[in-house]
mmCIF file of all heavy atoms in Angstrom:
data_model
loop_
_atom_site.group_PDB
_atom_site.id
_atom_site.type_symbol
_atom_site.label_atom_id
_atom_site.label_comp_id
_atom_site.label_asym_id
_atom_site.label_seq_id
_atom_site.Cartn_x
_atom_site.Cartn_y
_atom_site.Cartn_z
ATOM 1 N N ALA Y 1 0.829 -1.207 0.000
ATOM 2 C CA ALA Y 1 0.000 0.000 0.000
ATOM 3 C C ALA Y 1 0.856 1.246 0.000
ATOM 4 O O ALA Y 1 0.442 2.298 -0.480
ATOM 5 C CB ALA Y 1 -0.914 -0.011 1.227
ATOM 6 N N TRP Y 2 2.066 1.140 0.525
ATOM 7 C CA TRP Y 2 2.964 2.279 0.620
ATOM 8 C C TRP Y 2 4.371 1.759 0.466
ATOM 9 O O TRP Y 2 4.759 0.819 1.146
ATOM 10 C CB TRP Y 2 2.787 2.963 1.967
ATOM 11 C CG TRP Y 2 3.670 4.142 2.171
ATOM 12 C CD1 TRP Y 2 4.826 4.168 2.880
ATOM 13 C CD2 TRP Y 2 3.486 5.456 1.676
ATOM 14 N NE1 TRP Y 2 5.378 5.415 2.855
ATOM 15 C CE2 TRP Y 2 4.564 6.236 2.110
ATOM 16 C CE3 TRP Y 2 2.502 6.056 0.882
ATOM 17 C CZ2 TRP Y 2 4.693 7.584 1.795
ATOM 18 C CZ3 TRP Y 2 2.631 7.389 0.574
ATOM 19 C CH2 TRP Y 2 3.717 8.144 1.027
ATOM 20 N N TYR Y 3 5.160 2.369 -0.401
ATOM 21 C CA TYR Y 3 6.515 1.903 -0.634
ATOM 22 C C TYR Y 3 7.393 2.181 0.575
ATOM 23 O O TYR Y 3 7.397 3.285 1.114
ATOM 24 C CB TYR Y 3 7.113 2.580 -1.873
ATOM 25 C CG TYR Y 3 8.509 2.118 -2.152
ATOM 26 C CD1 TYR Y 3 8.745 0.823 -2.595
ATOM 27 C CD2 TYR Y 3 9.597 2.943 -1.934
ATOM 28 C CE1 TYR Y 3 10.029 0.378 -2.824
ATOM 29 C CE2 TYR Y 3 10.886 2.510 -2.164
ATOM 30 C CZ TYR Y 3 11.093 1.222 -2.611
ATOM 31 O OH TYR Y 3 12.359 0.770 -2.829
ATOM 32 N N GLY Y 4 8.120 1.153 1.024
ATOM 33 C CA GLY Y 4 9.018 1.293 2.166
ATOM 34 C C GLY Y 4 10.358 0.650 1.867
ATOM 35 O O GLY Y 4 10.527 -0.052 0.872
ATOM 36 N N ALA Y 5 11.306 0.876 2.724
ATOM 37 C CA ALA Y 5 12.655 0.327 2.561
ATOM 38 C C ALA Y 5 12.609 -1.186 2.447
ATOM 39 O O ALA Y 5 11.856 -1.853 3.154
ATOM 40 C CB ALA Y 5 13.519 0.737 3.750
ATOM 41 N N GLY Y 6 13.415 -1.728 1.530
ATOM 42 C CA GLY Y 6 13.524 -3.173 1.383
ATOM 43 C C GLY Y 6 12.520 -3.794 0.440
ATOM 44 O O GLY Y 6 12.587 -4.982 0.151
ATOM 45 N N LEU Y 7 11.575 -3.035 -0.070
ATOM 46 C CA LEU Y 7 10.584 -3.580 -0.997
ATOM 47 C C LEU Y 7 11.115 -3.475 -2.428
ATOM 48 O O LEU Y 7 11.857 -2.555 -2.765
ATOM 49 C CB LEU Y 7 9.260 -2.831 -0.876
ATOM 50 C CG LEU Y 7 8.563 -2.970 0.466
ATOM 51 C CD1 LEU Y 7 7.331 -2.073 0.514
ATOM 52 C CD2 LEU Y 7 8.176 -4.408 0.727
ATOM 53 N N ALA Y 8 10.711 -4.451 -3.242
ATOM 54 C CA ALA Y 8 11.179 -4.479 -4.634
ATOM 55 C C ALA Y 8 10.591 -3.300 -5.399
ATOM 56 O O ALA Y 8 9.403 -3.046 -5.347
ATOM 57 C CB ALA Y 8 10.764 -5.788 -5.281
ATOM 58 N N PHE Y 9 11.444 -2.581 -6.090
ATOM 59 C CA PHE Y 9 10.990 -1.452 -6.907
ATOM 60 C C PHE Y 9 12.170 -1.057 -7.776
ATOM 61 O O PHE Y 9 12.974 -0.213 -7.401
ATOM 62 C CB PHE Y 9 10.579 -0.283 -6.002
ATOM 63 C CG PHE Y 9 9.568 0.635 -6.641
ATOM 64 C CD1 PHE Y 9 8.223 0.338 -6.560
ATOM 65 C CD2 PHE Y 9 9.958 1.775 -7.312
ATOM 66 C CE1 PHE Y 9 7.272 1.179 -7.130
ATOM 67 C CE2 PHE Y 9 9.025 2.615 -7.886
ATOM 68 C CZ PHE Y 9 7.676 2.323 -7.794
ATOM 69 N N HIS Y 10 12.316 -1.707 -8.916
ATOM 70 C CA HIS Y 10 13.455 -1.410 -9.771
ATOM 71 C C HIS Y 10 13.048 -1.450 -11.232
ATOM 72 O O HIS Y 10 11.987 -1.958 -11.584
ATOM 73 C CB HIS Y 10 14.623 -2.365 -9.493
ATOM 74 C CG HIS Y 10 14.217 -3.793 -9.364
ATOM 75 N ND1 HIS Y 10 13.964 -4.605 -10.427
ATOM 76 C CD2 HIS Y 10 14.000 -4.543 -8.254
ATOM 77 C CE1 HIS Y 10 13.615 -5.800 -9.996
ATOM 78 N NE2 HIS Y 10 13.622 -5.791 -8.701
ATOM 79 N N ALA Y 11 13.890 -0.908 -12.075
ATOM 80 C CA ALA Y 11 13.559 -0.699 -13.491
ATOM 81 C C ALA Y 11 13.238 -1.986 -14.236
ATOM 82 O O ALA Y 11 12.492 -1.967 -15.200
ATOM 83 C CB ALA Y 11 14.719 0.019 -14.173
ATOM 84 N N GLN Y 12 13.800 -3.130 -13.816
ATOM 85 C CA GLN Y 12 13.572 -4.386 -14.534
ATOM 86 C C GLN Y 12 12.206 -4.991 -14.221
ATOM 87 O O GLN Y 12 11.812 -5.970 -14.811
ATOM 88 C CB GLN Y 12 14.642 -5.424 -14.176
ATOM 89 C CG GLN Y 12 16.047 -5.006 -14.523
ATOM 90 C CD GLN Y 12 16.729 -4.305 -13.364
ATOM 91 O OE1 GLN Y 12 16.116 -3.583 -12.591
ATOM 92 N NE2 GLN Y 12 18.025 -4.514 -13.239
ATOM 93 N N SER Y 13 11.474 -4.426 -13.299
ATOM 94 C CA SER Y 13 10.188 -4.980 -12.885
ATOM 95 C C SER Y 13 9.052 -4.347 -13.665
ATOM 96 O O SER Y 13 9.155 -3.234 -14.177
ATOM 97 C CB SER Y 13 9.961 -4.727 -11.393
ATOM 98 O OG SER Y 13 10.958 -5.321 -10.633
ATOM 99 N N ASP Y 14 7.941 -5.062 -13.710
ATOM 100 C CA ASP Y 14 6.699 -4.549 -14.276
ATOM 101 C C ASP Y 14 5.923 -3.950 -13.099
ATOM 102 O O ASP Y 14 5.479 -4.677 -12.216
ATOM 103 C CB ASP Y 14 5.933 -5.700 -14.932
ATOM 104 C CG ASP Y 14 4.561 -5.286 -15.423
ATOM 105 O OD1 ASP Y 14 4.306 -4.081 -15.585
ATOM 106 O OD2 ASP Y 14 3.728 -6.199 -15.631
ATOM 107 N N ILE Y 15 5.778 -2.638 -13.073
ATOM 108 C CA ILE Y 15 5.187 -1.955 -11.925
ATOM 109 C C ILE Y 15 3.819 -1.400 -12.305
ATOM 110 O O ILE Y 15 3.674 -0.697 -13.305
ATOM 111 C CB ILE Y 15 6.104 -0.818 -11.437
ATOM 112 C CG1 ILE Y 15 7.468 -1.395 -11.061
ATOM 113 C CG2 ILE Y 15 5.475 -0.084 -10.262
ATOM 114 C CD1 ILE Y 15 8.540 -0.353 -10.848
ATOM 115 N N ASP Y 16 2.814 -1.732 -11.482
ATOM 116 C CA ASP Y 16 1.453 -1.256 -11.696
ATOM 117 C C ASP Y 16 1.056 -0.390 -10.502
ATOM 118 O O ASP Y 16 0.921 -0.891 -9.387
ATOM 119 C CB ASP Y 16 0.501 -2.443 -11.834
ATOM 120 C CG ASP Y 16 -0.949 -2.025 -12.042
ATOM 121 O OD1 ASP Y 16 -1.240 -0.813 -12.116
ATOM 122 O OD2 ASP Y 16 -1.805 -2.924 -12.118
ATOM 123 N N THR Y 17 0.882 0.905 -10.738
ATOM 124 C CA THR Y 17 0.479 1.820 -9.668
ATOM 125 C C THR Y 17 -0.932 2.353 -9.907
ATOM 126 O O THR Y 17 -1.330 3.345 -9.296
ATOM 127 C CB THR Y 17 1.470 3.006 -9.579
ATOM 128 O OG1 THR Y 17 1.501 3.672 -10.844
ATOM 129 C CG2 THR Y 17 2.858 2.543 -9.203
ATOM 130 N N SER Y 18 -1.700 1.691 -10.757
ATOM 131 C CA SER Y 18 -3.008 2.202 -11.141
ATOM 132 C C SER Y 18 -4.102 1.937 -10.109
ATOM 133 O O SER Y 18 -5.166 2.510 -10.183
ATOM 134 C CB SER Y 18 -3.433 1.595 -12.486
ATOM 135 O OG SER Y 18 -3.618 0.199 -12.354
ATOM 136 N N ARG Y 19 -3.834 1.087 -9.142
ATOM 137 C CA ARG Y 19 -4.834 0.763 -8.119
ATOM 138 C C ARG Y 19 -4.350 1.252 -6.763
ATOM 139 O O ARG Y 19 -3.279 1.830 -6.649
ATOM 140 C CB ARG Y 19 -5.075 -0.742 -8.115
ATOM 141 C CG ARG Y 19 -5.637 -1.217 -9.453
ATOM 142 C CD ARG Y 19 -6.009 -2.691 -9.408
ATOM 143 N NE ARG Y 19 -6.611 -3.083 -10.667
ATOM 144 C CZ ARG Y 19 -5.958 -3.666 -11.647
ATOM 145 N NH1 ARG Y 19 -4.687 -3.935 -11.522
ATOM 146 N NH2 ARG Y 19 -6.577 -3.994 -12.756
ATOM 147 N N GLU Y 20 -5.129 0.987 -5.728
ATOM 148 C CA GLU Y 20 -4.721 1.470 -4.402
ATOM 149 C C GLU Y 20 -3.474 0.752 -3.888
ATOM 150 O O GLU Y 20 -2.760 1.284 -3.059
ATOM 151 C CB GLU Y 20 -5.870 1.358 -3.399
ATOM 152 C CG GLU Y 20 -6.199 -0.042 -2.931
ATOM 153 C CD GLU Y 20 -7.336 -0.070 -1.929
ATOM 154 O OE1 GLU Y 20 -8.498 -0.013 -2.376
ATOM 155 O OE2 GLU Y 20 -7.063 -0.183 -0.725
ATOM 156 N N TRP Y 21 -3.207 -0.462 -4.379
ATOM 157 C CA TRP Y 21 -1.985 -1.180 -4.023
ATOM 158 C C TRP Y 21 -1.015 -1.108 -5.184
ATOM 159 O O TRP Y 21 -1.413 -1.236 -6.344
ATOM 160 C CB TRP Y 21 -2.293 -2.660 -3.756
ATOM 161 C CG TRP Y 21 -2.969 -2.916 -2.446
ATOM 162 C CD1 TRP Y 21 -4.235 -2.536 -2.097
ATOM 163 C CD2 TRP Y 21 -2.425 -3.603 -1.334
ATOM 164 N NE1 TRP Y 21 -4.505 -2.951 -0.837
ATOM 165 C CE2 TRP Y 21 -3.411 -3.622 -0.333
ATOM 166 C CE3 TRP Y 21 -1.204 -4.212 -1.093
ATOM 167 C CZ2 TRP Y 21 -3.211 -4.222 0.897
ATOM 168 C CZ3 TRP Y 21 -1.011 -4.817 0.134
ATOM 169 C CH2 TRP Y 21 -1.995 -4.808 1.114
ATOM 170 N N THR Y 22 0.254 -0.912 -4.901
ATOM 171 C CA THR Y 22 1.286 -0.967 -5.934
ATOM 172 C C THR Y 22 1.670 -2.428 -6.113
ATOM 173 O O THR Y 22 1.897 -3.133 -5.131
ATOM 174 C CB THR Y 22 2.524 -0.149 -5.524
ATOM 175 O OG1 THR Y 22 2.138 1.216 -5.414
ATOM 176 C CG2 THR Y 22 3.639 -0.296 -6.541
ATOM 177 N N ALA Y 23 1.711 -2.897 -7.352
ATOM 178 C CA ALA Y 23 2.101 -4.278 -7.650
ATOM 179 C C ALA Y 23 3.395 -4.246 -8.450
ATOM 180 O O ALA Y 23 3.481 -3.580 -9.478
ATOM 181 C CB ALA Y 23 1.013 -4.984 -8.447
ATOM 182 N N VAL Y 24 4.403 -4.944 -7.944
ATOM 183 C CA VAL Y 24 5.679 -5.051 -8.635
ATOM 184 C C VAL Y 24 5.823 -6.506 -9.056
ATOM 185 O O VAL Y 24 5.997 -7.387 -8.217
ATOM 186 C CB VAL Y 24 6.859 -4.620 -7.727
ATOM 187 C CG1 VAL Y 24 8.173 -4.742 -8.488
ATOM 188 C CG2 VAL Y 24 6.649 -3.208 -7.225
ATOM 189 N N ARG Y 25 5.683 -6.764 -10.364
ATOM 190 C CA ARG Y 25 5.781 -8.129 -10.892
ATOM 191 C C ARG Y 25 7.206 -8.371 -11.361
ATOM 192 O O ARG Y 25 7.820 -7.509 -11.973
ATOM 193 C CB ARG Y 25 4.767 -8.328 -12.013
ATOM 194 C CG ARG Y 25 3.345 -8.424 -11.478
ATOM 195 C CD ARG Y 25 2.328 -8.613 -12.576
ATOM 196 N NE ARG Y 25 2.097 -7.399 -13.352
ATOM 197 C CZ ARG Y 25 1.324 -6.396 -12.972
ATOM 198 N NH1 ARG Y 25 0.713 -6.428 -11.827
ATOM 199 N NH2 ARG Y 25 1.160 -5.348 -13.747
ATOM 200 N N MET Y 26 7.698 -9.555 -11.047
ATOM 201 C CA MET Y 26 9.083 -9.880 -11.371
ATOM 202 C C MET Y 26 9.224 -11.393 -11.487
ATOM 203 O O MET Y 26 8.249 -12.119 -11.360
ATOM 204 C CB MET Y 26 10.006 -9.340 -10.278
ATOM 205 C CG MET Y 26 9.761 -9.993 -8.925
ATOM 206 S SD MET Y 26 10.450 -9.095 -7.555
ATOM 207 C CE MET Y 26 9.121 -7.984 -7.179
ATOM 208 N N HIS Y 27 10.415 -11.839 -11.662
ATOM 209 C CA HIS Y 27 10.748 -13.265 -11.660
ATOM 210 C C HIS Y 27 12.112 -13.378 -10.984
ATOM 211 O O HIS Y 27 13.140 -13.393 -11.647
ATOM 212 C CB HIS Y 27 10.792 -13.823 -13.080
ATOM 213 C CG HIS Y 27 11.033 -15.292 -13.125
ATOM 214 N ND1 HIS Y 27 10.016 -16.195 -13.207
ATOM 215 C CD2 HIS Y 27 12.172 -16.015 -13.060
ATOM 216 C CE1 HIS Y 27 10.526 -17.414 -13.214
ATOM 217 N NE2 HIS Y 27 11.835 -17.327 -13.124
ATOM 218 N N ARG Y 28 12.096 -13.376 -9.656
ATOM 219 C CA ARG Y 28 13.344 -13.385 -8.885
ATOM 220 C C ARG Y 28 13.510 -14.737 -8.196
ATOM 221 O O ARG Y 28 12.707 -15.135 -7.354
ATOM 222 C CB ARG Y 28 13.331 -12.292 -7.831
ATOM 223 C CG ARG Y 28 14.626 -12.267 -7.016
ATOM 224 C CD ARG Y 28 14.484 -11.469 -5.758
ATOM 225 N NE ARG Y 28 14.668 -10.059 -6.009
ATOM 226 C CZ ARG Y 28 14.298 -9.123 -5.139
ATOM 227 N NH1 ARG Y 28 13.725 -9.427 -4.012
ATOM 228 N NH2 ARG Y 28 14.527 -7.858 -5.413
ATOM 229 N N ASP Y 29 14.579 -15.460 -8.581
ATOM 230 C CA ASP Y 29 14.873 -16.734 -7.934
ATOM 231 C C ASP Y 29 15.157 -16.494 -6.465
ATOM 232 O O ASP Y 29 15.925 -15.601 -6.114
ATOM 233 C CB ASP Y 29 16.072 -17.422 -8.594
ATOM 234 C CG ASP Y 29 15.750 -17.902 -9.996
ATOM 235 O OD1 ASP Y 29 14.613 -18.352 -10.220
ATOM 236 O OD2 ASP Y 29 16.630 -17.822 -10.873
ATOM 237 N N MET Y 30 14.555 -17.315 -5.609
ATOM 238 C CA MET Y 30 14.690 -17.144 -4.163
ATOM 239 C C MET Y 30 15.262 -18.402 -3.510
ATOM 240 O O MET Y 30 14.808 -18.826 -2.453
ATOM 241 C CB MET Y 30 13.329 -16.808 -3.543
ATOM 242 C CG MET Y 30 12.736 -15.509 -4.018
ATOM 243 S SD MET Y 30 13.698 -14.046 -3.580
ATOM 244 C CE MET Y 30 13.452 -13.985 -1.828
ATOM 245 N N ASP Y 31 16.231 -19.014 -4.145
ATOM 246 C CA ASP Y 31 16.891 -20.192 -3.573
ATOM 247 C C ASP Y 31 18.295 -19.819 -3.165
ATOM 248 O O ASP Y 31 19.088 -19.429 -4.031
ATOM 249 C CB ASP Y 31 16.964 -21.331 -4.593
ATOM 250 C CG ASP Y 31 15.629 -21.988 -4.832
ATOM 251 O OD1 ASP Y 31 14.837 -22.066 -3.883
ATOM 252 O OD2 ASP Y 31 15.381 -22.423 -5.958
#
């Protein structure tokens, strides 16, 4: 709902700010 430190937000992501929640779509391996 509000961008804070440590949240994903970078140029390589697909970012949607058109709704009340910001959605950052990505494909980040987490292993």
Side-chain angles (χ1 to χ4, degrees):
W2 180 260
Y3 180 70
L7 296 174
F9 206 85
H10 45 80
Q12 299 92 325
S13 300
D14 174 18
I15 301 168
D16 179 2
T17 58
S18 65
R19 298 186 177 97
E20 73 179 81
W21 285 68
T22 296
V24 180
R25 287 180 286 280
M26 64 197 88
H27 184 95
R28 180 196 277 164
D29 291 323
M30 297 296 290
D31 287 327

